[in-house]
Amino acid sequence: MILTVTLNTALDITYRVTSLRPHAEHRVSEVVERPGGKGVNVARVLAALGYPVTVAGFAGGPTGQVLRERLAAAPGITDALVPVTGPTRRTVAVVDELTGRTTQLNEPGPHIGAAEWAAFLRAYDTLLDGARAVALCGSLPPGVPVGAYAGLIRVARSAGVPVLLDTSGEPLRRGIAARPDIVKPNAAELAELTGSHEPARATRDARRRGARSVVASLGPDGLLAATPEGHWRAAPPARLRGNPAGAGDAAVAGLLSGLVDGLDWPARLTRATALSAAAVLAPTAGEFDPADYTRLLTAATVTDEESAA
């Protein structure tokens, strides 16, 4: 089983409009509602690939109930969410069909009380017993300690479970010092962490801060990896137009499944890049077309950065 942790789960709502214009009225052509939050999206991709996956985190209120109903309908996913008093947040993505660009609105999430956080810690410790790997993903809801991910990483490491961290800001800064196996920031998160806007330098700097491996997602330019085994750049065959929401989560699913399968780093990066690109072509986060994934898997390229240098 692969465990994904989403402390700030969400009900993702995607609107599609012909053209998004500020201060204007819009007619929505399509509405899609899905269970969301970064780790939930990762879980949905993993389940679609055939991996048994358990979702941990919090869910509360009417929104949380809808989230759990949608998860129950998803094959291959086990719901281990801890119930809370506050309502699960909603995220709204507005897709501009003319440009292909997406505007995202994210609610803050419910306040997590001390007893609710303690209940999650007990559940997490139990779930690690059957986990082959764990992904800690997304923002922290109000009330959760800013060093929460650092603590969860230490618990996973003590249990002998490899851990991937995908977050930002101070939770990333504290989490990386706890020595996760993989950290997956995007370019902006990497620059904020290291102060460097040069990705190759920044990934190396992030590794020195404690992570065993750092894989930076660079949007349409693919992935850049700094690992103990070497440094690589992976890229899709061409820039793709579509919905980038969830592309990073699909990349996390590729990295995590590659870790569980014992793939070498070039193969892991190829899988992650293909899944990320396929997710861009899908209408909503957490989904991909298997035909797109298969096609992109053979077309993605991985370059040895050390040889290129």
Side-chain angles (χ1 to χ4, degrees), residues 3-173:
L3 177 63
T4 70
V5 172
T6 312
L7 297 177
N8 212 2
T9 56
L11 186 65
D12 285 349
I13 303 167
T14 301
Y15 295 126
R16 300 186 75 86
V17 299
T18 302
S19 177
L20 182 61
R21 304 178 308 281
H23 316 299
E25 184 176 321
H26 297 80
R27 186 174 296 276
V28 176
S29 61
E30 183 185 26
V31 181
V32 179
E33 199 174 74
R34 294 285 188 273
K38 292 181 71 63
V40 173
N41 292 336
V42 173
R44 291 171 60 212
V45 173
L46 286 168
L49 290 169
Y51 295 87
V53 58
T54 295
V55 172
F58 300 107
T63 313
Q65 182 59 37
V66 175
L67 169 70
R68 301 190 84 155
E69 290 171 358
R70 297 299 174 88
L71 279 178
I77 297 179
T78 298
D79 175 358
L81 296 170
V82 173
V84 293
T85 302
T88 295
R89 67 186 178 130
R90 295 161 298 180
T91 66
V92 178
V94 184
V95 180
D96 184 322
E97 294 177 334
L98 183 64
T99 64
R101 294 179 178 176
T102 300
T103 298
Q104 191 87 13
L105 303 173
N106 297 326
E107 295 180 356
H111 185 277
I112 304 301
E116 293 167 335
W117 178 238
F120 170 80
L121 292 176
R122 290 193 296 271
Y124 177 72
D125 192 56
T126 300
L127 289 167
L128 284 174
D129 285 343
R132 300 176 65 191
V134 58
L136 307 175
C137 302
S139 61
L140 301 178
V144 172
V146 70
Y149 282 137
L152 296 180
I153 290 165
R154 293 187 186 101
V155 173
R157 287 177 56 84
S158 295
V161 179
V163 57
L164 182 151
L165 177 64
D166 183 12
T167 188
S168 60
E170 189 62 21
L172 172 60
R173 190 179 306 278

